[in-house]
Amino acid sequence: MKNDPTSRPVDAGGAAPAKHFIRQIIEEDLRANTHGGRVVTRFPPEPNGYLHIGHAKAVCLNFGMAREYGGECHLRMDDTNPTKEEVEYIESIREDVRWLGFDWGKHFYYASDYFDKMYECAAQLIRKGKAYVCGLTAEEWSKDYRGAPPAPGRASPSRNRPPEESLALFEEMRAGKHPDGSLCVRAKIDMASPNLHLRDPVLYRILHATHPNTGDRWCIYPTYDFAHPLEDAFEGITHSLCTLEFEVHRPLYDWVIENLDGLPSRPRQYEFARLNLNYTVMSKRRLLELVQEGRVRGWDDPRMPTICGLRRRGYTPESIRAFTEVIGLTKYESLSDVARLEHGLRDDLNKRAARRLAVLNPLRVIIENADALPASVNAVNNPEDESAGTRPVPFSSELFIERDDFMENPPPKYFRLSPGGSVRLRYAGFLTCTRVEKDAIVCKWSPPEAGLKVKGTIHWVSAKHAVPAEIRLYDRLFTVEDPLAQAAAEGKDYHEFLNPDSLVTVAGFVEAGLADVRPAERFQFERLGYFCADPDSTPGKLVFNRTVTLKDPWAKAAGKR
Ligand code: ATP
Ligand code: MG
């Protein structure tokens, strides 16, 4: 079945995924045998932050295409920039890609592994007269010499330096004989090109900095534009998929590949629109800012759009993969709706999350006919999955119900509990409120067989058995859809749009069976939403995150929740 387009997986709904333009390109290449029938992609993060949901789109695309077409996907740390990378990030990236469900096999690489070969490539270009060592400062270069289209730029005074002289200087640069910024290697392309990236771009610069991988072995480092096509070529990448901002760099990418002899392969770059999500910010720089300023509790704060944040929040990898597929792959920028991500998550959790009872805002109920009560009732674990079975839930003469499931002076059509009124207790018969006391209400209990005519059903826990839990309720991190754009348009600081209520913590109770819950276990708390146990949980103190609210017909009938 290898390389057979008809073997593409089908999603849970049974429909084959849309044939977006990258699929079309790959299938055409396979038909034409462009790369000898191979599909090799790569995900090349710069290890300077944690991955976010935008990266998930690139991860799912690169690993997904390789999987679909019987190819391979490399995980490559793009560590050409020595000053920024941190080892902590590398581990997190590996963990996140694995959690998303992908495997790079033996293809884990560092761009810095290729520094020797890259140096050789630059030397080859110099020898061929296609690159030179330039003595202009970055300031001089980017302001006066490069120019602004349509006007052409001016040639560097070093542009016609003889290759032998440039080579000797390049050697000296490598040997550490020159200070940062004093010299650089430039490609000799076209100072009149309408594309600024072709106006003799920098290929190598001097940076006396210790690199996490290569230590002090190098004091010159390749630029991204030079390094990236080479990394792809060395690894035999066939389809180099990247986001649209690299489209204008593609002519340089191709120039590097075409002007070097002896490269093992001829990769091609294709661009797609990045994923943007509303009510959040997505660049690593901004996310780092939020962490460093203490606006959130860390990279894995459940309000963050990072993969580790979504994981802690209770997202499933399946729902993230499905989301990156349904939003499609295009060539134009857009803002995706986080509600769509949540919609898919609910679908997924509805199928797999065990149902449990919990009360977030407790009101004590005292049952006056205590003698009539069963010690426990039987509750269904998952109505969507019969094999999940049932469980006993302890019952007693003291319950907690939600404070807003009772009203002393109810408006018309209030179907929950009120003085003299009755309501169904989920799995446990009926309650009729007989009296209101200062800190509790007193009720009479009736068994299910009593068949009282009621319109509402409420959830509960036994106050004598329930376990206290800290429950963290999350909302959007920002109050507006596109905080950075809106801040720019209104001349404001984007921090002004941080949602002060993005985290509300309540002291609730969960049913006794949850006492020994394991972190990351997911549940539906009936009528309340989907929740997962947080790693902050200890046997003495349970902590749950609300993953997503529930769109629930009962709750709708019963009012806002
Ligand atoms: P950021 O802009 O958030 O700092 P980045 O682009 O600098 O991210 P890299 O580590 O360079 O992050 O990205 C690795 C890969 O992920 C690149 O191929 C990049 O194109 C892709 N990528 C980054 N952000 C997005 C996004 N929002 N949507 C889709 N792909 C993305
Ligand atoms: Mg980047």
Side-chain angles (χ1 to χ4, degrees):
M1 293 296 272
K2 204 176 171 193
N3 293 351
D4 174 2
T6 57
S7 73
R8 285 186 295 122
V10 292
D11 66 23
K19 210 172 263 188
H20 55 58
F21 72 98
I22 296 290
R23 283 195 173 98
Q24 291 174 18
I25 289 168
I26 293 177
E27 290 183 13
E28 187 47 44
D29 284 340
L30 288 175
R31 260 191 296 275
N33 207 30
T34 316
H35 304 279
R38 292 176 321 124
V39 176
V40 186
T41 55
R42 86 288 170 267
F43 175 64
E46 185 179 349
N48 62 348
Y50 283 69
L51 298 185
H52 50 59
I53 179 111
H55 293 113
K57 177 172 175 176
V59 169
C60 294
L61 176 65
N62 281 293
F63 281 92
M65 290 304 93
R67 184 179 282 176
E68 251 178 78
Y69 293 102
E72 271 161 357
C73 181
H74 300 182
L75 178 59
R76 181 200 306 147
M77 297 297 144
D78 201 338
D79 60 349
T80 48
N81 191 351
T83 48
K84 281 201 226 148
E85 282 93 22
E86 276 184 45
V87 179
E88 164 198 356
Y89 297 132
I90 296 176
E91 253 332 290
S92 78
I93 291 168
R94 291 164 58 98
E95 183 182 358
D96 290 349
V97 172
R98 264 196 224 106
W99 181 77
L100 281 170
F102 299 106
D103 182 9
W104 50 87
K106 55 185 195 305
H107 300 289
F108 178 75
Y109 302 107
Y110 291 93
S112 56
D113 292 342
Y114 310 123
F115 282 167
D116 285 295
K117 290 201 212 173
M118 290 172 182
Y119 178 84
E120 281 312 315
C121 288
Q124 185 192 134
L125 289 174
I126 294 174
R127 274 195 300 274
K128 287 176 168 169
K130 290 176 187 288
Y132 57 96
V133 170
C134 171
L136 291 176
T137 64
E139 169 88 8
E140 287 169 328
W141 174 256
S142 55
K143 293 230 170 104
D144 312 344
Y145 284 84
R146 193 162 51 175
R154 282 196 290 139
S156 157
S158 324
R159 198 167 202 261
N160 290 319
R161 195 194 292 280
E164 313 75 63
E165 198 181 308
S166 279
L167 260 187
L169 283 171
F170 191 34
E171 279 291 327
E172 288 180 20
M173 283 167 65
R174 179 188 187 164
K177 300 215 170 117
H178 299 278
D180 287 4
S182 58
L183 293 174
C184 63
V185 178
R186 308 206 110 89
K188 196 188 231 179
I189 307 183
D190 178 6
M191 286 309 297
S193 172
N195 184 341
L196 279 178
H197 299 284
L198 293 182
R199 293 190 176 185
D200 290 13
V202 176
L203 306 182
Y204 256 96
R205 63 233 194 278
I206 303 174
L207 257 177
H208 290 267
T210 303
H211 188 284
N213 230 16
T214 57
D216 291 319
R217 218 153 73 69
W218 295 91
C219 60
I220 55 172
Y221 292 94
T223 55
Y224 176 88
D225 278 335
F226 184 53
H228 205 77
L230 293 180
E231 293 154 21
D232 286 345
F234 297 153
E235 291 179 15
I237 301 300
T238 55
H239 300 79
S240 182
L241 312 176
C242 62
T243 36
L244 279 180
E245 69 270 24
F246 295 104
E247 194 167 14
V248 286
H249 298 246
R250 180 166 15 109
L252 177 52
Y253 182 102
D254 290 339
W255 183 92
V256 169
I257 300 289
E258 280 155 17
N259 284 280
L260 281 164
D261 299 317
L263 290 180
S265 81
R266 194 334 172 177
R268 300 201 66 99
Q269 174 181 301
Y270 301 97
E271 307 85 15
F272 60 93
R274 57 199 297 123
L275 165 64
N276 299 301
L277 201 61
N278 59 6
Y279 299 104
T280 192
V281 291
M282 198 104 87
S283 86
K284 282 185 276 194
R285 188 164 70 83
R286 297 300 185 191
L287 296 175
L288 179 63
E289 222 163 73
L290 295 175
V291 172
Q292 286 177 338
E293 295 167 352
R295 312 277 178 165
V296 293
R297 293 177 175 179
W299 283 98
D300 68 344
D301 186 299
R303 291 166 290 180
M304 291 279 271
T306 49
I307 305 298
C308 54
L310 295 170
R311 176 163 66 233
R312 187 163 181 176
R313 175 89 170 243
Y315 272 77
T316 60
E318 289 82 359
S319 68
I320 296 175
R321 290 203 301 266
F323 175 68
T324 65
E325 189 69 52
V326 297
I327 55 172
L329 198 70
T330 66
K331 280 244 173 214
Y332 50 88
E333 294 289 344
S334 64
L335 193 61
S336 292
D337 193 345
V338 63
R340 198 159 176 188
L341 176 62
E342 291 172 344
H343 173 79
L345 176 66
R346 278 192 196 94
D347 263 7
D348 192 24
L349 291 176
N350 181 41
K351 283 181 235 129
R352 63 168 83 210
R355 274 53 171 176
R356 292 290 182 267
L357 296 174
V359 169
L360 301 190
N361 187 11
L363 170 66
R364 190 176 293 272
V365 174
I366 297 164
I367 296 180
E368 55 190 18
N369 53 334
D371 294 346
L373 304 182
S376 70
V377 299
N378 230 17
V380 174
N381 284 330
N382 187 348
E384 301 288 317
D385 175 8
E386 217 175 300
S387 71
T390 61
R391 70 189 183 284
V393 180
F395 195 68
S396 72
S397 61
E398 266 186 52
L399 307 178
F400 290 127
I401 64 169
E402 294 292 344
R403 205 159 269 281
D404 65 0
D405 280 340
F406 173 80
M407 278 185 94
E408 197 159 2
N409 301 297
K413 298 211 170 157
Y414 182 79
F415 296 135
R416 290 167 284 165
L417 203 53
S418 57
S422 303
V423 76
R424 187 189 310 274
L425 278 183
R426 185 73 164 149
Y427 307 118
F430 302 89
L431 282 186
T432 304
C433 175
T434 53
R435 203 164 78 238
V436 180
E437 291 190 348
K438 190 160 165 289
D439 293 316
I441 58 171
V442 179
C443 293
K444 177 171 174 288
W445 181 78
S446 311
E449 307 80 69
L452 303 191
K453 290 262 172 295
V454 297
K455 286 200 166 136
T457 302
I458 64 172
H459 59 275
W460 53 275
V461 291
S462 162
K464 290 182 181 161
H465 302 91
V467 186
E470 174 182 323
I471 300 180
R472 300 174 181 167
L473 306 173
Y474 300 102
D475 199 350
R476 311 273 189 253
L477 189 50
F478 288 90
T479 54
V480 297
E481 282 203 78
D482 194 345
L484 293 176
Q486 189 153 339
E490 296 177 9
K492 288 184 176 162
D493 180 335
Y494 78 99
H495 292 94
E496 287 182 42
F497 300 121
L498 276 165
N499 178 4
D501 301 320
S502 60
L503 169 59
V504 173
T505 299
V506 300
F509 289 92
V510 298
E511 66 174 73
L514 288 174
D516 53 2
V517 72
R518 287 187 311 272
E521 268 191 279
R522 304 181 182 93
F523 302 96
Q524 183 196 93
F525 289 167
E526 295 208 34
R527 295 181 70 222
L528 296 173
Y530 293 98
F531 292 77
C532 78
D534 189 84
D536 285 348
S537 285
T538 57
K541 183 188 165 225
L542 298 181
V543 180
F544 286 92
N545 296 313
R546 182 171 69 195
T547 307
V548 67
T549 55
L550 201 63
K551 260 194 276 166
D552 182 354
W554 301 340
K556 217 187 253 169
K560 181 172 156 273
R561 183 170 295 282

